[in-house]
Amino acid sequence: MREFEFLQPKSIDEAIAMRVEHGERLVVFNGGTDIVIQLRDRLIAPDYVMDIKKIPGLRDITFTEKDGLHIGACATMNEIGTNEAVKAHYPYLAEAALSVGSKQVRNRATSVGNIVNASPLCDTGTPLYAADALLCIEGKGGRREVPVREFITFVRRTVLQKDEIVTGIRVPYDKNLRGIFTKVARRREVDLSTICATVARSGGEWKLAFGAVAPTPVRMPKTEALLKDRAITEALIDEAAKLARTEVSPIDDVRASKEYRLDVVEVIVRRCLKELA
C-alpha cells in the first residue's frame, strides 16, 4: 500500500471543494470495505483518501409517508437492516442489507458504498431498483437526484462526476408495494451473490430486479409489461419465467455457469410470482 494523505471534511461543501481540488487523485472513503481491499491489493493508488463520516447528517435514516425513506451515505448495513421504519415499510431492503457479508462487515459497509462501487451483484441494488430509488448527489453545480437504475452504467462505472459525492438514497413510499428479496450464493453466509433478486408488486404493477446476470443490476421491462394488470395463473407464470430468462445476459465465472444462472432466474421468478399472487 503506497502512502496517501487522509482527509476528513466536516461539511458537504468542504468535501466537494476537496473533490474539485484533487480530482482523480482522490478517492472517497465511506465504510471502507471495498476501498481498503483495493488499496491493499494496489488496484488503486490515490494521493488522497477522503473520509466523509465526520460530515453531520450522513448517518441518518428518516422516514415519512410523504417523503419516503432517506438513507444517509454513511448509514451502515446493520443500521439499515435493523431500522424499524425500514423493516416495517421496506422489509425486502432490510433483508438485503442483512445478507451482506458478516456482522462485522455490516458494521462498516454502507448501501451507498454498495451502489457507488457499481458491482453487478451489489446486494442492496435489486431492492433499490425495484423500489425506484434515487441517489442524492451534491457537487459544484448543486444538488441533483438520479434514479438508481440510471446511476450504474457498467461494471465499476457510474454517472458520478469528478466534483460530486453521493450524500444518500431516497426511496419513495408505496403503501401497497410488497417485495421478496432472494440471494443465491455458494455459502449461506459471508459470500458474494451468485444471483440476487427482488420481485415486487403494487396492485397490478410488477417490478423484477436482478443482480449478477448482466454488467449492471437490471429490471425486466418486458416481463413486467407481460404481468401488468393480469390475473396470475400457472400459464402466465410459466410464460413470464421463460420471458425473464431472455432479459438477462449472465456469464460463466467462478461462482456459476451462464446456464445455471439462467435456470435460477426462472426458478426465482416462478417462486416469487406464486408467493406474491
Side-chain angles (χ1 to χ4, degrees):
M1 186 185 296
R2 60 168 286 185
E3 290 187 359
F4 54 80
E5 186 173 345
F6 191 69
L7 308 174
Q8 284 191 305
K10 301 299 191 296
S11 69
I12 291 173
D13 287 344
E14 187 181 358
I16 292 170
M18 290 177 179
R19 287 277 278 169
V20 171
E21 180 181 358
H22 302 302
E24 292 183 349
R25 296 182 298 157
L26 176 148
V27 296
V28 177
F29 182 90
N30 194 352
T33 54
D34 288 307
I35 293 294
V36 168
I37 293 170
Q38 292 170 13
L39 288 168
R40 181 198 64 192
D41 294 345
R42 298 181 181 271
L43 299 175
I44 57 174
D47 294 318
Y48 301 91
V49 174
M50 183 176 73
D51 181 358
I52 62 173
K53 291 191 292 297
K54 296 289 186 180
I55 299 175
L58 290 194
R59 201 161 180 170
D60 295 349
I61 300 174
T62 60
F63 171 79
T64 66
E65 291 190 2
K66 178 183 177 182
D67 298 326
L69 178 70
H70 180 82
I71 300 170
C74 298
T76 68
M77 294 294 190
N78 273 337
E79 289 169 338
I80 295 167
T82 59
N83 181 274
E84 292 302 323
V86 180
K87 290 193 297 181
H89 303 294
Y90 310 87
Y92 49 92
L93 175 57
E95 186 175 352
L98 295 179
S99 78
V100 175
S102 63
K103 186 172 185 178
Q104 292 89 339
V105 168
R106 293 192 297 272
N107 278 334
R108 295 289 304 181
T110 66
S111 183
V112 164
N114 203 213
I115 299 301
V116 172
N117 192 46
S119 168
L121 48 79
C122 53
D123 288 316
T124 56
T126 65
L128 295 174
Y129 270 56
D132 296 314
L134 300 104
L135 273 291
C136 305
I137 298 171
E138 295 197 35
K140 185 173 61 175
R143 301 179 181 181
R144 63 181 180 131
E145 289 189 342
V146 176
V148 67
R149 293 166 62 185
E150 299 174 10
F151 181 78
I152 303 174
T153 59
F154 197 70
V155 180
R156 310 293 185 191
R157 295 181 191 172
T158 72
V159 300
L160 197 66
Q161 300 299 306
K162 296 175 184 178
D163 64 303
E164 294 179 323
I165 63 171
V166 178
T167 58
I169 302 169
R170 185 169 68 83
V171 191
Y173 174 62
D174 179 351
K175 66 179 181 180
N176 297 314
L177 189 69
R178 295 186 298 130
I180 299 171
F181 171 76
T182 302
K183 178 174 180 174
V184 177
R186 294 166 298 178
R187 296 193 303 268
R188 186 171 182 177
E189 295 179 340
V190 197
D191 197 5
L192 299 174
S193 293
T194 301
I195 283 186
C196 52
T198 301
V199 177
R201 178 184 189 180
S202 177
E205 298 280 347
W206 290 84
K207 301 177 182 184
L208 288 74
F210 278 73
V213 293
T216 71
V218 294
R219 284 273 293 269
M220 296 181 168
K222 294 179 183 178
T223 309
E224 293 173 359
L226 173 69
L227 294 166
K228 185 176 179 180
D229 295 327
R230 294 181 64 183
I232 301 301
T233 63
E234 287 292 340
L236 182 59
I237 289 173
D238 186 62
E239 185 180 359
K242 290 178 179 177
L243 180 58
R245 186 184 179 108
T246 71
E247 294 201 80
V248 297
S249 53
I251 60 171
D252 297 315
D253 63 17
V254 295
R255 282 183 288 279
S257 68
K258 172 183 176 178
E259 286 302 316
Y260 175 79
R261 284 190 167 97
L262 289 171
D263 289 343
V264 171
V265 166
E266 278 200 47
V267 170
I268 290 173
V269 170
R270 291 178 190 277
R271 288 177 177 174
C272 291
L273 292 185
K274 287 179 181 179
E275 185 168 344
L276 289 170

